Amino acid sequence: MIDIFSKEFNEYIENTAIREAFSDGILITDHKGIIRYMKAYTSDIMLFDVHDAIGKHILELYPDRKPEESTILNALKGLPTLGKETIQTAFNGETCVFFEHTIPIKIRGKIVGAVSFAKYAVSFKRELSVKSPNDFQKPFYCLEDIIGDSLLIRQLKNQIASVTKTNSSVLIYGETGTGKELVAQSIHSGGERRNSIFLSQNCSAIPLSLLEGLLFGTVKGSFTGAEDKAGIFEIANGGTIFLDEINSMDMSMQAKILKVIEEKKVTRLGSNKAIPVDVRIISAMNEDPLNCVRQGRMRSDLYYRIGTVLLRVPPLKERPDDIPVLVNYYIDHYNKEMGKSIKGVTDKVALSLRSYDWPGNVRELRNAIEAAFNFETEDYITYDHLPPLMPCSQSPISFGGSPGSNIQIPLVRTGQTLTQMVDSYEKRCIENEVSLASSLNELASNLGISRQSLSYKLKKHNIVLPK
C-alpha cells in the first residue's frame, strides 16, 4: 500500500501538473480531515506558519467555515471541487480570497485523504493591535517610499499629500512599471482610513464570470457551487479598494461598478438585498484614460465618477535625474539582501543608464540592478553584467541635427563630473533640435519626451525658444 504522506508522495505532489497550474499553495489531510502536509510557494501569501497548521483539523484552521462548506470535508465524502472561489478567515485572523481544486485521494477504491491546490487572488490582514513600535511592521507603502527628487516627482508627492486629506475617488494612470500601486498605497496610508483595510484587485487577472462574485459577493444557490460570502466591497467597508487595470474591465461590469459607487450599496449575486458600504475607490490604468473613453473602452460616466482626482505617474524617461538616486537606492537594497558590498556603478554604466529610455520604467531598472548583482564580484557594477538589451556605445556618442553639425560627447571625463557632462550633452541635444521645430509640441515630439518634461528641461538649461 502507498504511504500518501511519504517523502516520495510529497515530491510527486510538488511536481505534478496540477501543482504547476495552482502553485500558490498545497494542503493535504488524512481521512479524518487532520492536516498532514502544507506548503505555500509564495512567501507573501503564506497566511500562517506551517508548524501551526500541521496536526489540526481543517475546521480548526478555518473556524469560520461550516462543515458542509469545506471543500476538504466534501472531498473526503467523495465530492471533488474544481476552481471554486473561496473567501476564508483563518484561525490567526487573516483573510484571503483564492481559487481551489480539492480532490479525494483514493487507494484501492478507498478514500484515505484529500489534497487541495490553491491559487490566491487577494490576501490581506487587518492589524488588531500593536504592542510597541518595534512590533509594528508597516503594512503599506507611504509617501517616503516614492524615490526621487526630480521636479515631476516632487509635484506628484505634493499632489498625493493633498489627496490624502480627502475621501475623493482617485484615478492613477501611467505606463507599466511606474509604481501606480505604490502611489495608491501612499494615499491610503496617509489618510484617515490608514488603520482600515486596503484591498488591491487587478481587474485583468480574474475572468469576468468570477469577477462579479469576487467584487460583490454571492448567496448560496445563485449558481452551481455558490456559497454565502461577502465580496471585496463588503470586506473593505470603511477602508480603501484599489482597482488596478480598470480599463480592462468589461463594459457591463463597468456599469455595475458605477452603480455601487453612486449608491454606496452593494447587492450580492442572487440576492435582492442592498448592503451599505463605505469605501474609498482608487483606480489605475496603464494608458491615457481619455483615450479609453474616446475609443469606447471605458464608460464616460464611470470615468467622471472615478476620475474626480487624476494623478499621472511619469515614466522614468521623463525624469532621468532620478535614475542615479534610484540606482543607489537599489544598490543599498540588494547589498543588504544578498550580503554584498558593491559601492556603485562605473561611469560607462551610469551614462548608459541615463541614456536608456526604460520602456519597463522603475521595475525594469530594479530588475537590471538585481540582475547585475547576481554576477558582479567587484566593487562597482560594470557594463558586462547589465542585461544584454541595455544600450552601450563603444565610440563617442553623436547626434545629427542639421547636416555637418554632429555633436560628439566622449565617454571619458574631461575636467567635468559625470552629471555635468550629461547635463551639457542634454542641453546641446535640445539646442540642436530647436531650429528644426516650429512649435513646442513639435520639439517635444522630435525629442521623444512630453511637453511637460521639455518645459522643465528648457527652464533647467536656460534655453529660450525663438519667437
Side-chain angles (χ1 to χ4, degrees), residues 247-304:
N247 49 316
S248 67
M249 189 180 288
D250 181 85
M251 296 294 277
S252 62
M253 181 60 70
Q254 291 185 27
K256 294 174 182 178
I257 290 285
L258 176 63
K259 181 178 175 65
V260 171
I261 295 174
E262 289 184 334
E263 297 181 355
K264 296 185 178 180
K265 295 178 181 179
V266 64
T267 303
R268 295 184 182 183
L269 283 178
S271 172
N272 56 11
K273 178 184 177 182
I275 303 171
V277 290
D278 171 28
V279 295
R280 183 176 194 177
I281 303 295
I282 302 177
S283 308
M285 58 177 61
N286 55 12
E287 55 185 317
D288 189 323
L290 283 176
N291 285 341
C292 290
V293 174
R294 295 188 191 104
Q295 295 169 10
R297 293 184 290 113
M298 168 166 276
R299 294 175 59 103
S300 59
D301 47 4
L302 177 63
Y303 164 70
Y304 293 124

